[in-house]
Amino acid sequence: MRAIGYCRVSTDEQGDSGLGLDAQRAVITTESDRRGWTLDTIHTDIASGKSLRGRSHFATALQQLARRDADVLVVAKLDRLSRSVSDFAAILAQSQTEGWALNICDLGVDTTTPSGKMVAQIMMVLAEWEREMIGDRTRAALRAAKAKGAKLGRRANVAPETVRLIRVLRESGRSYGAIAAALTTEGVPTAQGGRWHAATIKKIHETYN
């Protein structure tokens, strides 16, 4: 099998010094050798672990995997790939859809094996539970805001409660479309009395973030 490695550090200083990167590369190389995989390349990003945005080298790795230039993505530690359960679940789902495998060395999650696939499925179930819990908290917060007489709208009249909800949902991994659907379902009025749209949520998030 052909493998691609991925490393990440959070700061320029760590990137310049190699602090942490050498250890990650060593784990990835050792695992690939142990499994008899051909390690084509190791991609490295210097970026925050809070989200998947802004990681150009990770995006390149995903493109290569999607093209089947490689068969498995190897990462030394889960937190080097993602600190969000929902983000990790999305990566797992993408790997299954596109037909490549994922190996997280510190967890022993290796979707080239039956046991690794089982662990991955459990983590995806936990991610779905997390999303449902976020939905419950969102609905409770919306009800509390409406009970206080808050006018939840958009543009310049957006209430602080709505802005905070949008920010929390966005940081939890929800898409703009999913946030719009949640607000519409809960009956939060828009300025024009219609449905919430992804473009509106995006504008609010960018304006107030």
CSV table of all heavy atoms in Angstrom, one decimal, residues 37-66:
chain,number,residue,atom,x,y,z
A,37,TRP,N,4.3,-0.5,4.1
A,37,TRP,CA,3.8,0.4,3.2
A,37,TRP,C,4.9,1.3,2.6
A,37,TRP,O,5.9,1.6,3.2
A,37,TRP,CB,2.8,1.3,4.0
A,37,TRP,CG,1.6,0.6,4.5
A,37,TRP,CD1,1.1,-0.6,4.1
A,37,TRP,CD2,0.7,1.1,5.6
A,37,TRP,NE1,0.0,-0.9,4.9
A,37,TRP,CE2,-0.3,0.1,5.8
A,37,TRP,CE3,0.8,2.2,6.4
A,37,TRP,CZ2,-1.3,0.2,6.7
A,37,TRP,CZ3,-0.2,2.3,7.4
A,37,TRP,CH2,-1.2,1.4,7.5
A,38,THR,N,4.6,1.8,1.4
A,38,THR,CA,5.5,2.7,0.7
A,38,THR,C,5.1,4.1,1.1
A,38,THR,O,4.0,4.6,0.8
A,38,THR,CB,5.4,2.6,-0.8
A,38,THR,OG1,5.8,1.2,-1.1
A,38,THR,CG2,6.4,3.6,-1.5
A,39,LEU,N,5.9,4.8,1.9
A,39,LEU,CA,5.6,6.2,2.3
A,39,LEU,C,6.1,7.2,1.3
A,39,LEU,O,7.3,7.4,1.1
A,39,LEU,CB,6.3,6.5,3.7
A,39,LEU,CG,6.1,7.8,4.3
A,39,LEU,CD1,4.6,8.0,4.6
A,39,LEU,CD2,6.9,8.0,5.6
A,40,ASP,N,5.1,7.7,0.5
A,40,ASP,CA,5.5,8.6,-0.6
A,40,ASP,C,6.0,10.0,-0.1
A,40,ASP,O,6.9,10.5,-0.6
A,40,ASP,CB,4.2,8.8,-1.5
A,40,ASP,CG,3.9,7.5,-2.3
A,40,ASP,OD1,4.8,6.7,-2.4
A,40,ASP,OD2,2.8,7.4,-2.7
A,41,THR,N,5.2,10.6,0.8
A,41,THR,CA,5.6,11.9,1.3
A,41,THR,C,5.0,12.2,2.7
A,41,THR,O,4.0,11.5,3.1
A,41,THR,CB,5.1,13.0,0.3
A,41,THR,OG1,5.6,14.3,0.7
A,41,THR,CG2,3.6,13.0,0.3
A,42,ILE,N,5.5,13.1,3.4
A,42,ILE,CA,4.9,13.6,4.6
A,42,ILE,C,4.6,15.1,4.5
A,42,ILE,O,5.5,15.9,4.3
A,42,ILE,CB,5.8,13.3,5.8
A,42,ILE,CG1,6.1,11.8,6.0
A,42,ILE,CG2,5.2,13.9,7.1
A,42,ILE,CD1,7.1,11.5,7.1
A,43,HIS,N,3.3,15.4,4.6
A,43,HIS,CA,2.9,16.8,4.5
A,43,HIS,C,3.0,17.4,5.9
A,43,HIS,O,2.6,16.8,6.9
A,43,HIS,CB,1.5,16.9,3.9
A,43,HIS,CG,1.4,16.5,2.5
A,43,HIS,ND1,1.8,17.3,1.5
A,43,HIS,CD2,0.9,15.4,1.9
A,43,HIS,CE1,1.6,16.7,0.3
A,43,HIS,NE2,1.1,15.5,0.6
A,44,THR,N,3.3,18.7,6.0
A,44,THR,CA,3.4,19.4,7.3
A,44,THR,C,2.7,20.8,7.2
A,44,THR,O,2.9,21.5,6.3
A,44,THR,CB,4.9,19.6,7.7
A,44,THR,OG1,5.5,18.4,7.7
A,44,THR,CG2,5.0,20.4,9.0
A,45,ASP,N,1.9,21.1,8.2
A,45,ASP,CA,1.2,22.4,8.3
A,45,ASP,C,1.7,23.0,9.6
A,45,ASP,O,1.9,22.3,10.6
A,45,ASP,CB,-0.3,22.3,8.3
A,45,ASP,CG,-0.9,22.2,6.9
A,45,ASP,OD1,-0.4,23.0,6.1
A,45,ASP,OD2,-1.8,21.4,6.7
A,46,ILE,N,1.8,24.3,9.6
A,46,ILE,CA,2.0,25.1,10.8
A,46,ILE,C,0.7,25.9,11.0
A,46,ILE,O,0.5,26.9,10.4
A,46,ILE,CB,3.2,26.1,10.7
A,46,ILE,CG1,4.5,25.3,10.5
A,46,ILE,CG2,3.3,26.9,12.0
A,46,ILE,CD1,5.7,26.1,10.2
A,47,ALA,N,-0.2,25.4,11.8
A,47,ALA,CA,-1.5,26.0,11.9
A,47,ALA,C,-2.2,25.5,13.2
A,47,ALA,O,-1.8,24.5,13.8
A,47,ALA,CB,-2.4,25.6,10.8
A,48,SER,N,-3.2,26.2,13.6
A,48,SER,CA,-4.0,25.9,14.8
A,48,SER,C,-4.7,24.6,14.6
A,48,SER,O,-5.0,24.2,13.5
A,48,SER,CB,-5.0,27.0,15.1
A,48,SER,OG,-5.9,26.6,16.1
A,49,GLY,N,-5.0,23.9,15.7
A,49,GLY,CA,-5.7,22.6,15.7
A,49,GLY,C,-7.2,22.8,15.9
A,49,GLY,O,-7.9,21.8,16.0
A,50,LYS,N,-7.6,24.0,16.1
A,50,LYS,CA,-9.0,24.3,16.4
A,50,LYS,C,-10.0,23.9,15.3
A,50,LYS,O,-11.2,23.6,15.5
A,50,LYS,CB,-9.2,25.7,16.9
A,50,LYS,CG,-8.5,26.0,18.2
A,50,LYS,CD,-8.8,27.5,18.6
A,50,LYS,CE,-8.1,27.8,19.9
A,50,LYS,NZ,-8.4,29.2,20.3
A,51,SER,N,-9.5,24.0,14.0
A,51,SER,CA,-10.4,23.7,12.9
A,51,SER,C,-9.5,23.2,11.8
A,51,SER,O,-8.3,23.3,11.8
A,51,SER,CB,-11.2,25.0,12.5
A,51,SER,OG,-10.4,25.9,11.7
A,52,LEU,N,-10.2,22.8,10.7
A,52,LEU,CA,-9.4,22.3,9.5
A,52,LEU,C,-9.1,23.3,8.5
A,52,LEU,O,-8.4,23.1,7.6
A,52,LEU,CB,-10.3,21.2,8.9
A,52,LEU,CG,-10.6,19.9,9.7
A,52,LEU,CD1,-11.4,19.0,8.9
A,52,LEU,CD2,-9.3,19.3,10.2
A,53,ARG,N,-9.6,24.5,8.8
A,53,ARG,CA,-9.4,25.6,7.8
A,53,ARG,C,-8.0,26.2,7.9
A,53,ARG,O,-7.4,26.1,9.0
A,53,ARG,CB,-10.4,26.8,8.1
A,53,ARG,CG,-11.8,26.4,7.8
A,53,ARG,CD,-12.8,27.6,8.1
A,53,ARG,NE,-12.9,27.7,9.6
A,53,ARG,CZ,-13.6,28.7,10.2
A,53,ARG,NH1,-14.3,29.5,9.4
A,53,ARG,NH2,-13.7,28.7,11.5
A,54,GLY,N,-7.5,26.6,6.8
A,54,GLY,CA,-6.1,27.2,6.8
A,54,GLY,C,-5.0,26.2,6.8
A,54,GLY,O,-3.8,26.6,7.0
A,55,ARG,N,-5.3,25.0,6.5
A,55,ARG,CA,-4.3,23.9,6.4
A,55,ARG,C,-4.1,23.5,5.0
A,55,ARG,O,-4.7,22.6,4.5
A,55,ARG,CB,-4.6,22.7,7.3
A,55,ARG,CG,-4.8,23.0,8.7
A,55,ARG,CD,-4.7,21.7,9.5
A,55,ARG,NE,-5.5,21.8,10.7
A,55,ARG,CZ,-5.7,20.7,11.5
A,55,ARG,NH1,-5.2,19.5,11.1
A,55,ARG,NH2,-6.4,20.8,12.6
A,56,SER,N,-3.2,24.2,4.3
A,56,SER,CA,-3.1,24.0,2.8
A,56,SER,C,-2.5,22.6,2.5
A,56,SER,O,-2.8,22.0,1.5
A,56,SER,CB,-2.2,25.1,2.2
A,56,SER,OG,-0.9,25.1,2.8
A,57,HIS,N,-1.5,22.2,3.3
A,57,HIS,CA,-0.8,20.9,3.1
A,57,HIS,C,-1.8,19.7,3.4
A,57,HIS,O,-1.7,18.7,2.7
A,57,HIS,CB,0.5,20.8,3.9
A,57,HIS,CG,1.5,21.7,3.4
A,57,HIS,ND1,2.3,21.4,2.3
A,57,HIS,CD2,1.9,23.0,3.8
A,57,HIS,CE1,3.2,22.4,2.0
A,57,HIS,NE2,2.9,23.4,2.9
A,58,PHE,N,-2.6,19.9,4.4
A,58,PHE,CA,-3.6,18.9,4.6
A,58,PHE,C,-4.6,18.8,3.5
A,58,PHE,O,-5.0,17.7,3.1
A,58,PHE,CB,-4.4,19.2,5.9
A,58,PHE,CG,-5.4,18.1,6.3
A,58,PHE,CD1,-5.0,16.8,6.5
A,58,PHE,CD2,-6.7,18.4,6.4
A,58,PHE,CE1,-5.9,15.8,6.9
A,58,PHE,CE2,-7.7,17.5,6.7
A,58,PHE,CZ,-7.2,16.2,7.0
A,59,ALA,N,-5.0,19.9,2.9
A,59,ALA,CA,-5.9,19.9,1.8
A,59,ALA,C,-5.2,19.2,0.6
A,59,ALA,O,-5.9,18.4,-0.1
A,59,ALA,CB,-6.2,21.3,1.4
A,60,THR,N,-3.9,19.4,0.4
A,60,THR,CA,-3.2,18.7,-0.7
A,60,THR,C,-3.2,17.2,-0.5
A,60,THR,O,-3.4,16.4,-1.4
A,60,THR,CB,-1.7,19.3,-0.7
A,60,THR,OG1,-1.8,20.7,-1.0
A,60,THR,CG2,-1.0,18.5,-1.8
A,61,ALA,N,-3.0,16.8,0.8
A,61,ALA,CA,-3.0,15.4,1.1
A,61,ALA,C,-4.3,14.8,0.8
A,61,ALA,O,-4.4,13.7,0.2
A,61,ALA,CB,-2.6,15.2,2.6
A,62,LEU,N,-5.4,15.4,1.1
A,62,LEU,CA,-6.7,14.9,0.9
A,62,LEU,C,-7.0,14.8,-0.6
A,62,LEU,O,-7.6,13.9,-1.1
A,62,LEU,CB,-7.8,15.8,1.5
A,62,LEU,CG,-7.9,15.8,3.0
A,62,LEU,CD1,-9.0,16.7,3.5
A,62,LEU,CD2,-8.1,14.4,3.6
A,63,GLN,N,-6.5,15.8,-1.4
A,63,GLN,CA,-6.6,15.7,-2.9
A,63,GLN,C,-5.9,14.5,-3.4
A,63,GLN,O,-6.4,13.9,-4.3
A,63,GLN,CB,-6.1,17.0,-3.5
A,63,GLN,CG,-7.0,18.3,-3.2
A,63,GLN,CD,-6.3,19.6,-3.5
A,63,GLN,OE1,-5.2,19.6,-4.1
A,63,GLN,NE2,-6.9,20.7,-3.3
A,64,GLN,N,-4.7,14.3,-2.9
A,64,GLN,CA,-3.9,13.1,-3.4
A,64,GLN,C,-4.7,11.8,-3.1
A,64,GLN,O,-4.7,10.9,-3.9
A,64,GLN,CB,-2.5,13.1,-2.8
A,64,GLN,CG,-1.7,14.2,-3.3
A,64,GLN,CD,-0.3,14.3,-2.6
A,64,GLN,OE1,-0.2,14.1,-1.4
A,64,GLN,NE2,0.8,14.4,-3.4
A,65,LEU,N,-5.2,11.7,-1.9
A,65,LEU,CA,-5.9,10.5,-1.5
A,65,LEU,C,-7.2,10.3,-2.4
A,65,LEU,O,-7.5,9.2,-2.8
A,65,LEU,CB,-6.3,10.6,0.0
A,65,LEU,CG,-5.1,10.5,0.9
A,65,LEU,CD1,-5.5,11.1,2.3
A,65,LEU,CD2,-4.7,9.0,1.1
A,66,ALA,N,-7.9,11.4,-2.6
A,66,ALA,CA,-9.1,11.4,-3.4
A,66,ALA,C,-8.8,10.9,-4.8
A,66,ALA,O,-9.6,10.2,-5.5
A,66,ALA,CB,-9.8,12.7,-3.5
